[in-house]
Amino acid sequence: MKSIFKMLALAGVIAFTFSCKKNNTAPDEETGPTVNPTANLVQIGETYIIGAKAKAVIYSTKPFETGYNDIYVALYDSVDGSKLSNGHFDILPMMDMGMMQHSCPVENTEDTTTTNGYFKSAVVFIMPGNATQWSLNLNFHNHKNNLEGTGILGVNVNSSSPNKLVSTVLPLDSNSSVFISLVGLSNPQVGINDFEITLHKKSNMMSFPAIDNYSVEIVPEMPSMGHGSPNNVNPILTSNGHYVGKVNFTMTGLWRVNLKLYKNGTLISSDQYFETTLQ
């Protein structure tokens, strides 16, 4: 009988030990599987940043097109291949038209450390062009070795379809050239959708500052049906020329979102719009 009790006790110890080992895997399970940070991104290209001993790999959410483009930059030590996560990084987009050169609106990060392994920027390409015309000029101060350098990457920019960029000259605002870019609405749904635009003004061929002193009204309409929609929220300024609101699409089909721009309470533009089709 004693031997039976000993056997039962031993079995209990073994079961308890097995249970503990199994439970010890819980922290690993909570962290989840390893996620590829570039799984949903498109690699645009890569280039070396001469002088900083670094290599830059450029990603975006889609191939570059006219309008607003998110840019994610992974930087690597060009000697040992390790990923770099600390430094000052910025992008200067340039368009070479032969007899003249110009830039376009750009948003550079002020962070000196990466987020999820990337330095984040955004560029509003104001016209299409090929990789001999458009380029990204990359500047990096590598905090790992305290070296600075520059690199250049030629990029293709396609025309967005439907159009995600409109431009206009506003006589009521000192004949300013204004660029309006649609952010999002790549997959609109019937119902309330987030609506975001950016506004930039051409100061000169190299400077396109964000506009932070306009008011924006949106007027959605369905041209084929002759009606609009209720419960829209006019975009308001958040920061850095970004205006965010809500647009309501009440049925499938082609919709036009008309834009009215105001400055100091005065209507200065009412003939710009974006179109989108709901399936």
Side-chain angles (χ1 to χ4, degrees):
M1 182 66 70
K2 289 184 178 180
S3 61
I4 293 176
F5 285 136
K6 288 182 179 179
M7 291 177 63
L8 291 174
L10 179 60
V13 171
I14 293 173
F16 176 76
T17 303
F18 176 77
S19 175
C20 289
K21 288 182 177 180
K22 185 176 181 180
N23 290 338
N24 284 341
T25 64
D28 294 333
E29 292 173 356
E30 289 175 0
T31 61
T34 301
V35 177
N36 180 2
T38 63
N40 297 317
L41 298 177
V42 175
Q43 182 172 330
I44 301 298
E46 59 182 57
T47 188
Y48 286 95
I49 301 183
I50 307 302
K53 293 185 177 179
K55 183 178 77 170
V57 184
I58 312 298
Y59 298 91
S60 187
T61 53
K62 60 186 183 306
F64 286 159
E65 61 183 12
T66 50
Y68 191 89
N69 297 261
D70 287 309
I71 297 179
Y72 300 86
V73 183
L75 290 162
Y76 299 89
D77 189 304
S78 60
V79 177
D80 61 25
S82 61
K83 203 163 190 179
L84 300 172
S85 60
N86 197 288
H88 291 91
F89 177 82
D90 66 76
I91 291 176
L92 175 65
M94 287 297 300
M95 174 66 160
D96 187 346
M97 301 182 69
M99 297 295 293
M100 60 180 290
Q101 293 79 39
H102 64 79
S103 186
C104 63
V106 59
E107 297 174 355
N108 281 306
T109 180
E110 296 181 358
D111 296 332
T112 58
T113 57
T114 58
T115 301
N116 296 326
Y118 298 99
F119 287 96
K120 174 75 163 54
S121 299
V123 171
V124 177
F125 291 108
I126 59 178
M127 61 190 301
N130 59 41
T132 64
Q133 297 170 314
W134 275 112
S135 63
L136 298 179
N137 294 268
L138 314 176
N139 302 288
F140 182 50
H141 176 197
N142 188 350
H143 286 185
K144 179 181 178 180
N145 53 27
N146 201 30
L147 296 176
E148 297 183 49
T150 60
I152 186 169
L153 177 67
V155 295
N156 294 305
V157 178
N158 302 314
S159 294
S160 53
S161 180
N163 189 22
K164 294 184 178 180
L165 176 78
V166 293
S167 61
T168 183
V169 176
L170 300 182
L172 294 179
D173 189 10
S174 305
N175 289 315
S176 300
S177 294
V178 172
F179 298 90
I180 311 168
S181 184
L182 178 64
V183 181
L185 273 189
S186 59
N187 186 31
Q189 305 293 321
V190 173
I192 303 294
N193 295 260
D194 291 332
F195 184 83
E196 181 177 355
I197 59 173
T198 62
L199 294 173
H200 292 87
K201 181 182 297 186
K202 178 183 175 183
S203 178
N204 55 53
M205 299 297 280
M206 297 299 296
S207 177
F208 295 77
I211 298 174
D212 290 340
N213 61 345
Y214 282 7
S215 298
V216 181
E217 181 183 349
I218 58 173
V219 184
E221 66 167 326
M222 200 170 192
S224 65
M225 302 296 288
H227 65 72
S229 65
N231 304 320
N232 299 283
V233 179
N234 289 325
I236 60 173
L237 176 69
T238 55
S239 64
N240 201 25
H242 285 248
Y243 293 74
V244 179
K246 302 280 186 181
V247 61
N248 184 22
F249 300 124
T250 56
M251 60 187 299
T252 58
L254 174 66
W255 283 86
R256 178 176 295 170
V257 183
N258 298 288
L259 304 172
K260 293 184 177 181
L261 305 181
Y262 297 82
K263 183 177 181 181
N264 298 325
T266 299
L267 180 65
I268 57 176
S269 175
S270 61
D271 55 357
Q272 305 303 316
Y273 60 85
F274 292 107
E275 289 186 335
T276 187
T277 300
L278 279 70
Q279 303 296 330

